[in-house]
Amino acid sequence: MYILGISAFYHDSASALIKDGLILAAVQEERFSRIKGDSSFPSRAISYCLSSAGITIDEVDHIVFYDKPVLKFDRILASYIHTAPKGIRSFLKAVPAWLKDKLWVESTIRNELGLKDSSKLILFTEHHQSHAASAFLPSPYEKAAILTVDGAGEWTTTMIGMGEGNSIKMLKKISFPHSIGLLYSAFTYYCGFRVNSGEYKLMGLAPYGRPVYLDLIKRELVKLADDGSFRLNERYFDYIAGLRMINRRFEKLFGRPALKADMVPDQFYMDVASSVQELISDIFVKMALYAKQLTGENNLCIAGGVGLNCVSNSRVVKESGFDSIWVQPASGDAGGSLGAAMYAYYCYLNKARTADDVHDFQKGSYLGPEYTEDDIESALDSFKAVYRRMELQDVYEETARLIDSQKVVGWFQGRSEFGPRALGNRSIIGDARSTEMQSVMNLKIKFRESFRPFAPSILEEHVSDYFDISRPSPYMLFTAGVVRDKLVDADCAGKNWIELLKVRRSVIPAVTHVDGSARIQTVSEKGNPVFYGLLKEFYKLTGCLVLINTSFNVRGEPVVNSPADAYMCFMGTEIDVLVIGNYILFKDEQPENRGIEEWKKSHIKD
């Protein structure tokens, strides 16, 4: 039985296909359109999912949309009525789009997919049902508490539930406008980052500051209860029916205006970022503690956009009392497509589900497109690229040698990752031992803010040799401190954030954040044998178990999807070497390509 899940129209549209409850494929539309966070109907993502299974849309048994547009529209109208006449400008901008497209999802799906069979049902799950299903049903647990937290679904913004076998029960919820997802987005906006794409930048900025405004936020903006429930003070926010996340009252409270987009934050905004990050983590921990009390379970599953906050996740691991925690790698709206499909199969159709308490069903989140050698050669030949093919072991040895000589490598292997994290198949990799590599990769390759940290990838069986963590972290969703014997004495007193970037804090400075932590990916031989082989070869050559791993893209662009995407990004940046499958390309051997300058103009943001 084939079930197709769809998420669309709000942010990060995607599609997922399952067969008899097992995940076959899942991918975001942005990977094909090259528009970051693309919210359009995911026609290309759907086409990929179907073609990867070798079926047509007529062979799909059920199609499921990840939320209920009528309920969402009800919330939007109620919000405008609640704030009238204040929200008239926003109303005139938003409502016509709903009346034209977003409200008529079933008709859109039928038209876009060319469904001729009018008897074929289009199913709809609630938004947080989709999140809950994406958290629990692919997890390794037979029973677990569930926590879903995001900006807003239809009305729900936060949900505590319980999963057992093939059933999901919603136990407690918090409704719009009270949302820690929107609260975090409000501070994202205030600190000069773009909402729905800059929240992880705020998380990366936070360790440069101190939580000096935490008490102010708790006193004026958020009323927090011991069980993690909360209420926001609506007087300070404009997202309910306005065109901005915050209002002038919010700016007056903190004494400074919102930072303009893409301006470099100073210490004040770093302290603000630190304060709201501390608050979100505190709330997350309280919610998890209450979920454990409510359900009595030892396992916890997390999804929703806030589930990508790996700092908060790590606090939950340490402080909530759960034995084991699993977070959906595509926790945002994209993952809703997968959750909707799985909810339909297991919960709506009541199909049996069995878990083994060890291995999840996410397949490493390597669920997107892959390319044959013929595909790769055809793409490279179209650019008149110079390349050489090697046996896989030779690829490992040559790539390890190049990284050891301080080369930056674009690494393109197998199926692309579903979700925002590069997990070793669409990655830019480098030497974590370098004191210069963080700045080089941020400024000359990623073209992004220099304060942004990079993640380490490490052989799973050796993770405790470098980091204060004893559990696998294959999806890069938890942070941990560098262990004491890998730290070095560093004088950080009185240094500003630019100076702090140059301080060598550990033996792997390129992946050690200013607070001594790192967002870790553990790599197992079973989970990703090719990336594992490279890490093992680098260890054999250098004695170091860690590589820098960052997503293969430039700032403001989706992660590369195809060999052509990879080649253009390679040529348009200062990446030294490109490895696609068994093919290696060196920058200084490539011909001039007039299209590269045009690519730079359209892809690289100043």
Side-chain angles (χ1 to χ4, degrees):
M1 176 180 288
Y2 291 101
I3 299 183
L4 181 72
I6 299 172
S7 62
F9 302 129
Y10 312 120
H11 177 70
D12 210 10
S13 297
S15 181
L17 183 69
I18 68 173
K19 180 184 181 183
D20 299 332
L22 299 179
I23 306 168
L24 297 183
V27 67
Q28 295 114 293
E29 184 71 6
E30 69 170 20
R31 302 299 174 91
F32 302 96
S33 69
R34 312 308 302 153
I35 300 170
K36 191 170 181 64
D38 193 345
S39 60
S40 62
F41 188 82
S43 54
R44 284 165 283 200
I46 291 169
S47 178
Y48 158 70
C49 288
L50 297 177
S51 64
S52 69
I55 63 171
T56 67
I57 191 62
D58 293 328
E59 295 172 83
V60 172
D61 296 280
H62 295 282
I63 299 168
V64 196
F65 193 71
Y66 82 128
D67 72 2
K68 295 187 175 181
V70 172
L71 288 180
K72 184 165 283 189
F73 190 55
D74 173 66
R75 185 255 294 171
I76 290 169
L77 286 180
S79 298
Y80 284 125
I81 293 169
H82 175 66
T83 59
K86 178 184 175 184
I88 186 64
R89 288 176 59 208
S90 177
F91 176 88
L92 293 174
K93 182 178 180 180
V95 170
W98 272 89
L99 294 177
K100 180 182 177 182
D101 295 314
K102 295 180 181 179
L103 198 55
W104 318 110
V105 171
E106 180 171 352
S107 296
T108 299
I109 291 174
R110 291 189 184 279
N111 292 335
E112 291 281 350
L113 300 183
L115 290 177
K116 299 174 183 177
D117 183 1
S118 60
S119 66
K120 182 171 286 189
L121 290 176
I122 308 295
L123 304 176
F124 294 83
T125 59
E126 289 188 19
H127 190 93
H128 276 258
Q129 283 179 331
S130 297
H131 279 322
S134 78
F136 173 65
L137 295 174
S139 80
Y141 312 131
E142 184 65 25
K143 295 173 64 179
I146 303 169
L147 179 59
T148 65
V149 187
D150 67 1
E154 296 86 1
W155 280 98
T156 303
T157 67
T158 305
M159 188 276 296
I160 294 174
M162 167 77 183
E164 181 173 3
N166 67 350
S167 70
I168 292 173
K169 296 179 181 178
M170 294 190 173
L171 303 176
K172 296 285 183 179
K173 67 180 182 179
I174 297 171
S175 297
F176 184 88
H178 306 291
S179 164
I180 63 169
L182 290 174
L183 175 69
Y184 203 73
S185 292
F187 278 91
T188 298
Y189 173 87
Y190 183 65
C191 291
F193 307 123
R194 288 180 173 83
V195 172
N196 288 331
S197 64
E199 283 77 5
Y200 57 95
K201 298 180 185 181
L202 189 71
M203 183 176 67
L205 185 67
Y208 292 94
R210 297 170 298 124
V212 295
Y213 299 103
L214 180 59
D215 289 342
L216 176 66
I217 295 171
K218 286 183 176 180
R219 184 173 68 250
E220 295 292 336
L221 300 183
V222 184
K223 184 178 181 181
L224 177 61
D226 290 340
D227 63 359
S229 61
F230 56 89
R231 293 186 65 83
L232 303 188
N233 188 341
E234 298 175 36
R235 295 177 65 249
Y236 291 96
F237 301 96
D238 204 29
Y239 62 74
I240 298 173
L243 295 174
R244 299 172 78 222
M245 292 300 298
I246 60 174
N247 56 30
R248 291 179 182 175
R249 192 177 286 113
F250 184 104
E251 293 172 312
K252 185 177 180 181
L253 177 68
F254 287 95
R256 290 180 64 174
L259 193 66
K260 291 183 179 179
D262 299 324
M263 289 186 66
V264 177
D266 60 18
Q267 192 61 51
F268 166 78
Y269 293 99
M270 293 175 181
D271 290 342
V272 169
S274 176
S275 301
V276 73
Q277 178 60 56
E278 187 84 2
L279 174 72
I280 296 301
S281 297
D282 287 347
I283 294 174
F284 226 50
V285 169
K286 287 179 180 291
M287 287 178 180
L289 287 166
Y290 183 62
K292 182 163 180 59
Q293 175 187 333
L294 197 62
T295 65
E297 292 301 321
N298 294 318
N299 304 314
L300 175 66
C301 299
I302 297 173
V306 182
L308 295 171
N309 192 306
C310 54
V311 175
S312 296
N313 291 343
S314 300
R315 285 272 309 273
V316 170
V317 168
K318 294 176 181 178
E319 301 174 37
S320 68
F322 283 99
D323 295 339
S324 183
I325 294 173
W326 193 85
V327 183
Q328 167 55 236
S331 273
D333 279 4
S337 63
L338 176 59
M342 299 197 81
Y343 187 91
Y345 183 80
Y346 287 110
C347 303
Y348 176 73
L349 297 173
N350 197 30
K351 301 293 186 179
R353 172 184 175 272
T354 302
D356 66 8
D357 284 331
V358 177
H359 301 106
D360 65 43
F361 301 95
Q362 190 79 14
K363 296 184 177 179
S365 222
Y366 304 113
L367 301 169
E370 61 182 333
Y371 297 85
T372 66
E373 289 198 348
D374 286 345
D375 294 331
I376 294 169
E377 287 195 11
S378 177
L380 296 179
D381 288 343
S382 73
F383 295 108
K384 296 182 172 56
V386 177
Y387 56 87
R388 64 199 69 176
R389 188 190 183 283
M390 295 181 172
E391 295 302 316
L392 189 56
Q393 182 58 37
D394 295 329
V395 170
Y396 295 153
E397 293 175 6
E398 179 68 0
T399 306
R401 183 188 67 78
L402 289 163
I403 295 172
D404 184 41
S405 63
Q406 302 307 293
K407 301 299 184 185
V408 177
V409 177
W411 181 257
F412 185 109
Q413 303 289 335
R415 300 184 70 174
S416 65
E417 300 92 339
F418 181 50
R421 309 291 191 224
L423 302 173
N425 280 9
R426 301 290 186 274
S427 294
I428 299 172
I429 51 180
D431 191 346
R433 302 168 300 170
S434 169
T435 56
E436 306 296 326
M437 196 57 69
Q438 181 183 7
S439 294
V440 168
M441 290 177 73
N442 267 328
L443 299 177
K444 295 185 177 182
I445 294 169
K446 300 285 282 188
F447 301 103
R448 69 183 195 180
E449 303 89 349
S450 57
F451 67 80
R452 299 268 297 280
F454 287 112
S457 293
I458 184 170
L459 297 174
E460 180 179 285
E461 59 270 28
H462 291 286
V463 64
S464 296
D465 294 351
Y466 277 78
F467 303 103
D468 185 21
I469 188 172
S470 57
R471 50 161 312 199
S473 177
Y475 300 119
M476 212 179 282
L477 289 167
F478 300 96
T479 62
V482 176
V483 296
R484 186 178 298 276
D485 67 351
K486 296 295 189 293
L487 294 171
V488 298
D489 291 333
D491 180 14
C492 298
K495 288 183 169 60
N496 63 33
W497 71 272
I498 295 176
E499 293 167 332
L500 285 174
L501 284 174
K502 301 175 183 177
V503 174
R504 187 172 183 267
R505 293 172 292 278
S506 77
V507 298
I508 45 171
V511 294
T512 305
H513 209 3
V514 292
D515 60 355
S517 71
R519 175 165 51 90
I520 300 158
Q521 181 203 8
T522 57
V523 183
S524 69
E525 188 168 16
K526 180 179 179 181
N528 191 331
V530 175
F531 197 37
Y532 181 93
L534 174 62
L535 281 159
K536 193 171 182 179
E537 190 61 38
F538 187 73
Y539 173 52
K540 178 181 175 183
L541 177 67
T542 67
C544 180
L545 289 156
V546 182
L547 287 175
I548 299 170
N549 177 7
T550 187
S551 56
F552 197 161
N553 65 322
V554 296
R555 178 188 181 192
E557 292 293 311
V559 179
V560 300
N561 191 45
S562 68
D565 297 335
Y567 185 79
M568 293 298 284
C569 189
F570 163 57
M571 292 298 294
T573 64
E574 294 191 28
I575 295 174
D576 301 297
V577 181
L578 174 61
V579 180
I580 304 184
N582 287 38
Y583 298 84
I584 292 187
L585 298 86
F586 295 87
K587 177 68 66 61
D588 57 8
E589 296 178 354
Q590 302 309 307
E592 288 187 15
N593 189 320
R594 284 179 290 181
I596 295 299
E597 289 306 316
E598 291 302 314
W599 183 92
K600 286 183 179 180
K601 289 178 183 177
S602 62
H603 288 69
I604 296 173
K605 310 296 187 291
D606 293 332

